[in-house]
Amino acid sequence: MEPEIIQLIDEYGHEVDFELVASFDLDDTRYAVVVPVDGDGEDAYILRVEQDENGNDIFVGIEDEDEFNDAVEAYNELMEEYEEYYDDEDFDDEE
């Protein structure tokens, strides 16, 4: 499956390509986890997904520390559930 690439504008006005790693909802708010395409894969960002006046998604940095911590915790729980699910599955290549 092809990774979903989104283009965001950094704080200097430059366009930067990011891979959308995951998205999830927490308390009626949508969040996205992205990593820079040209990065080393170790820098991930959690952004809040909002909609502009035309209904298009916009990605916003999270400035509130409590909101950010809640989003990180929710993402970590999601990843733990994902890992547990796939650890429990039998993925033998035998036919």
Side-chain angles (χ1 to χ4, degrees):
M1 186 161 93
E2 246 348 89
E4 185 173 350
I5 305 299
I6 59 174
Q7 196 170 67
L8 302 175
I9 307 298
D10 70 11
E11 64 269 16
Y12 305 108
H14 301 110
E15 295 177 346
V16 181
D17 290 336
F18 287 85
E19 179 180 345
L20 179 63
V21 175
S23 62
F24 60 95
D25 293 316
L26 175 64
D27 299 330
D28 298 328
T29 302
R30 187 134 193 92
Y31 294 93
V33 179
V34 298
V35 296
V37 170
D38 293 335
D40 57 12
E42 292 189 21
D43 293 328
Y45 302 93
I46 297 181
L47 304 171
R48 184 174 50 249
V49 181
E50 298 179 356
Q51 292 191 330
D52 66 12
E53 60 276 356
N54 297 320
N56 298 314
D57 288 343
I58 57 173
F59 298 82
V60 180
I62 303 169
E63 295 182 17
D64 181 77
E65 187 175 345
D66 290 335
E67 178 185 6
F68 178 78
N69 290 336
D70 290 344
V72 168
E73 184 177 330
Y75 175 69
N76 288 337
E77 288 175 9
L78 179 69
M79 289 298 95
E80 286 175 14
E81 290 174 12
Y82 178 82
E83 289 173 5
E84 287 175 10
Y85 174 79
Y86 281 103
D87 285 346
D88 291 341
E89 291 293 314
D90 188 294
F91 290 103
D92 289 336
D93 290 342
E94 298 175 19
E95 292 185 21

